[in-house]
């Protein structure tokens, strides 16, 4: 990313104001949530999952938080929710095209993190001392 692009994005980012004043801040807060990122990665890996399968795959998430996160992702256009008129009702979740782009950005971030993990761990250990 070039310096002009970074400068342009940072000019649009108004961290001192609420989300309704700074939509970038509002969206960043939603998409950088740990549960949101894990749900996107899990759906990216498995393509289509039922609620219980997402819950099993996202270790540590409560049903309430999973419901909230999936609704937010659906509201923002990252996740499709398909309901089947069966008894008991069956609901499946998958990524939208926008969600697939989001997934690619998360994978890029993970690719950047992976080779830096030893340095980050070492830095954490030194900080604790």
């Amino acid at each position: 990313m070039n310096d002009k692009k970074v400068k342009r994005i940072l000019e649009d980012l108004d961290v001192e104001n609420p989300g309704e004043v700074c939509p970038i801040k509002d969206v960043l807060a939603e998409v950088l949530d740990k549960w949101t990122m894990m749900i996107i990665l899990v759906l990216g890996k498995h393509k289509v999952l039922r609620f219980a399968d997402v819950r099993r795959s996202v270790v540590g998430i409560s049903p309430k938080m999973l419901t909230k996160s999936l609704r937010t992702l659906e509201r923002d256009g990252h996740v499709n929710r398909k309901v089947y008129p069966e008894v008991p009702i069956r609901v499946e979740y998958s990524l939208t095209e926008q969600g697939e782009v989001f997934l690619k950005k998360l994978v890029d971030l993970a690719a950047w993190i992976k080779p830096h993990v030893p340095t980050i761990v070492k830095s954490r250990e030194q900080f604790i001392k």
Side-chain angles (χ1 to χ4, degrees), residues 69-81 93:
S69 298
L70 284 167
R71 284 184 181 158
T72 299
L73 287 165
E74 183 183 9
R75 177 200 72 197
D76 289 352
H78 303 300
V79 168
N80 283 317
R81 179 178 184 264
Y93 297 91

Side-chain angles (χ1 to χ4, degrees), residues 82-125:
K82 187 170 183 182
V83 180
Y84 294 88
E86 301 172 353
V87 177
I89 196 165
R90 179 169 53 116
V91 180
E92 293 180 340
Y93 297 91
S94 61
L95 295 178
T96 62
E97 285 184 36
Q98 181 175 303
E100 292 284 346
V101 173
F102 183 7
L103 172 66
K104 288 176 185 170
K105 297 299 180 182
L106 285 178
V107 169
D108 288 344
L109 181 59
W112 173 84
I113 291 170
K114 190 174 180 178
H116 293 90
V117 167
T119 305
I120 293 168
V121 169
K122 184 178 177 183
S123 181
R124 287 177 180 177
E125 290 168 353

Side-chain angles (χ1 to χ4, degrees):
M1 187 178 322
N2 64 37
D3 289 339
K4 284 183 181 180
K5 187 173 183 178
V6 170
K7 186 176 179 181
R8 197 169 58 247
I9 294 293
L10 291 176
E11 285 173 352
D12 291 339
L13 184 60
D14 188 355
V15 295
E16 296 170 2
N17 281 301
E20 54 273 9
V21 175
C22 181
I24 292 174
K25 177 183 159 188
D26 179 53
V27 173
L28 279 174
E30 297 279 351
V31 299
L32 295 179
D33 172 77
K34 74 176 180 177
W35 299 125
T36 297
M37 291 188 289
M38 293 308 300
I39 291 166
I40 292 292
L41 291 169
V42 163
L43 288 175
K45 181 177 182 181
H46 296 284
K47 302 302 179 202
V48 176
L49 287 174
R50 294 178 71 175
F51 183 90
D53 297 324
V54 177
R55 184 168 177 225
R56 273 190 289 278
S57 299
V58 180
V59 177
I61 195 167
S62 69
K64 183 178 178 179
M65 182 54 70
L66 178 56
T67 298
K68 179 183 179 290
S69 298
L70 284 167
R71 284 184 181 158
T72 299
L73 287 165
E74 183 183 9
R75 177 200 72 197
D76 289 352
H78 303 300
V79 168
N80 283 317
R81 179 178 184 264
K82 187 170 183 182
V83 180
Y84 294 88
E86 301 172 353
V87 177
I89 196 165
R90 179 169 53 116
V91 180
E92 293 180 340
Y93 297 91
S94 61
L95 295 178
T96 62
E97 285 184 36
Q98 181 175 303
E100 292 284 346
V101 173
F102 183 7
L103 172 66
K104 288 176 185 170
K105 297 299 180 182
L106 285 178
V107 169
D108 288 344
L109 181 59
W112 173 84
I113 291 170
K114 190 174 180 178
H116 293 90
V117 167
T119 305
I120 293 168
V121 169
K122 184 178 177 183
S123 181
R124 287 177 180 177
E125 290 168 353
Q126 291 174 346
F127 183 82
I128 292 171
K129 292 178 185 179

